[in-house]
Amino acid sequence: MSHVAQGRGKGGFIAGFLIAPLALYLTFVIWPYVQTFGYSFTNWTGQSPTFDFVGVDNYAALMKDEVFRGALWHNLLLLVFVPVITILLALFFAFMVNAGGRGGAGGVQGVSGSRWYKVIYFFPQVLSLAILAVLFGAIYRSDEGGLLNGFLVKLGVVDPQHPVEWLNEPNFVLWCLLFVVVWHGVGFYLVLFSAAMQTVPKDIYEAALLDGAGRAQTFFRVTLPLLWDSVQTSAVYLGIAAMDMFVLVSTMTSGQFGGGPDHHSEVMATVLMRNFLYFGKSGYACAMGVVMLTLTMILSVVTLRATRRERIEF
């Protein structure tokens, strides 16, 4: 009986600690999702307390909305390039600062000054996205005073009378934003991959070197397989970031909530906010939110399943 009473007391103690966090999670996380899903089937304007049920009309309108379809295409492009470029660069730099140096008496080691490189590469992470928008806004300025245009003018590549308008050129604007995201993210994932590499015994790298493996072979046959779990998780997080992009697009590009020029940098989040706050089509915006949530969940599941491998023990 004492064991039964003790078990009940322990269960009650655990339940007492779980009830409050669970209630908060349901109230502030799950319930807004449920509300958004419900509003997506209405013509709610966001201000009026009254609205009508319109069924799937909002979702049907989305399929015909050229601006939203263009924004979806931009998100998909970012979804491909942001994770791939960021992870490849972070893996390369992490390998160099941990195992890319010359082997000496101390065994496998990073390149000279690797500790400082970690700090330098991680530095962009201490900057908020708002600061990044201001910083790269100055770099991409559409006159000779912009850092990029000034550099190209000095090289004689760009005519000083006709500098490149990086954030107003339809063919350049999305790639300029992509560069900012990659520049901001590489340092964080370099540190993440470096921490994972430091858990790998140096004996494995030394054995590979004794067998005659070069740096490229060591990277692809030793480092990458052992870090696959970290790479998989990073791909999911970067994919989610690519599906957002609201802060950078809305602050760096022209137009109401960004998206310019002529919707060439539009992403789903900017279209959603414009419809919700500017056009007063809140029910329609909620439908966009449901689509974004669905695509993000599908992305996460597909990425985890497509990159699933057998765990390598060492």
Side-chain angles (χ1 to χ4, degrees), residues 216-238:
Q217 291 176 314
T218 304
F219 176 78
F220 286 106
R221 296 188 179 183
V222 178
T223 303
L224 188 57
L226 294 176
L227 266 63
W228 194 251
D229 287 345
S230 298
V231 172
Q232 184 185 56
T233 304
S234 301
V236 173
Y237 278 112
L238 285 166

Side-chain angles (χ1 to χ4, degrees), residues 189-227:
Y189 291 99
L190 179 151
V191 173
L192 176 67
F193 295 148
S194 293
M197 284 184 191
Q198 288 172 6
T199 65
V200 179
K202 294 292 185 181
D203 296 344
I204 297 179
Y205 287 115
E206 292 170 358
L209 293 175
L210 290 174
D211 289 339
R215 289 183 179 178
Q217 291 176 314
T218 304
F219 176 78
F220 286 106
R221 296 188 179 183
V222 178
T223 303
L224 188 57
L226 294 176
L227 266 63

Side-chain angles (χ1 to χ4, degrees), residues 15-310:
F17 272 95
L18 291 178
I19 287 174
L22 182 60
L24 290 173
Y25 183 79
L26 292 174
T27 302
F28 295 107
V29 178
I30 301 301
W31 181 241
Y33 284 127
V34 175
Q35 284 185 308
T36 300
F37 184 75
Y39 283 134
S40 69
F41 295 101
T42 69
N43 61 356
W44 182 44
T45 63
Q47 296 179 349
S48 173
T50 61
F51 46 82
D52 298 319
F53 180 78
V54 296
V56 296
D57 288 356
N58 289 328
Y59 293 96
L62 278 180
M63 299 300 102
K64 301 176 183 178
D65 190 335
E66 293 185 2
V67 174
F68 180 76
R69 287 188 296 175
L72 174 61
W73 172 244
H74 294 155
N75 275 116
L76 293 177
L77 284 176
L78 293 168
L79 179 61
V80 172
F81 288 103
V82 168
V84 170
I85 297 175
T86 304
I87 289 175
L88 287 179
L89 287 175
L91 278 172
F92 171 75
F93 290 132
F95 177 75
M96 294 303 294
V97 300
N98 284 279
R102 294 180 178 274
V108 176
Q109 58 187 357
V111 296
S112 178
S114 58
R115 293 181 180 179
W116 293 106
Y117 287 134
K118 291 180 184 179
V119 175
I120 293 171
Y121 285 127
F122 189 77
F123 177 73
Q125 281 296 311
V126 305
L127 302 177
S128 68
L129 289 177
I131 295 176
L132 281 182
V134 175
L135 175 64
F136 278 91
I139 293 174
Y140 290 138
R141 270 181 55 180
S142 56
D143 55 33
E144 193 175 348
L147 179 62
L148 187 54
N149 272 323
F151 179 71
L152 294 176
V153 167
K154 293 295 184 182
L155 292 178
V157 178
V158 172
D159 183 356
Q161 302 300 321
H162 301 90
V164 180
E165 297 189 11
W166 298 100
L167 296 177
N168 288 311
E169 283 285 344
N171 295 327
F172 293 153
V173 60
L174 199 64
W175 304 109
C176 290
L177 295 171
L178 170 66
F179 179 82
V180 178
V181 177
V182 172
W183 185 84
H184 180 252
V186 164
F188 174 80
Y189 291 99
L190 179 151
V191 173
L192 176 67
F193 295 148
S194 293
M197 284 184 191
Q198 288 172 6
T199 65
V200 179
K202 294 292 185 181
D203 296 344
I204 297 179
Y205 287 115
E206 292 170 358
L209 293 175
L210 290 174
D211 289 339
R215 289 183 179 178
Q217 291 176 314
T218 304
F219 176 78
F220 286 106
R221 296 188 179 183
V222 178
T223 303
L224 188 57
L226 294 176
L227 266 63
W228 194 251
D229 287 345
S230 298
V231 172
Q232 184 185 56
T233 304
S234 301
V236 173
Y237 278 112
L238 285 166
I240 293 173
M243 292 294 288
D244 182 11
M245 292 289 295
F246 174 75
V247 173
L248 287 179
V249 174
S250 63
T251 53
M252 292 185 65
T253 60
S254 58
Q256 187 72 26
F257 296 105
D262 194 25
H263 303 296
H264 280 85
S265 64
E266 204 79 74
V267 291
M268 288 186 290
T270 57
V271 181
L272 185 156
M273 292 302 294
R274 191 179 301 115
N275 278 275
F276 189 87
L277 296 176
Y278 190 69
F279 295 139
K281 299 167 65 176
S282 300
Y284 187 54
C286 287
M288 294 183 189
V290 172
V291 172
M292 288 181 63
L293 173 64
T294 304
L295 290 176
T296 304
M297 292 179 66
I298 293 173
L299 156 72
S300 302
V301 173
V302 170
T303 302
L304 290 173
R305 292 186 66 87
T307 58
R308 184 172 57 187
R309 291 187 179 183
E310 291 185 5

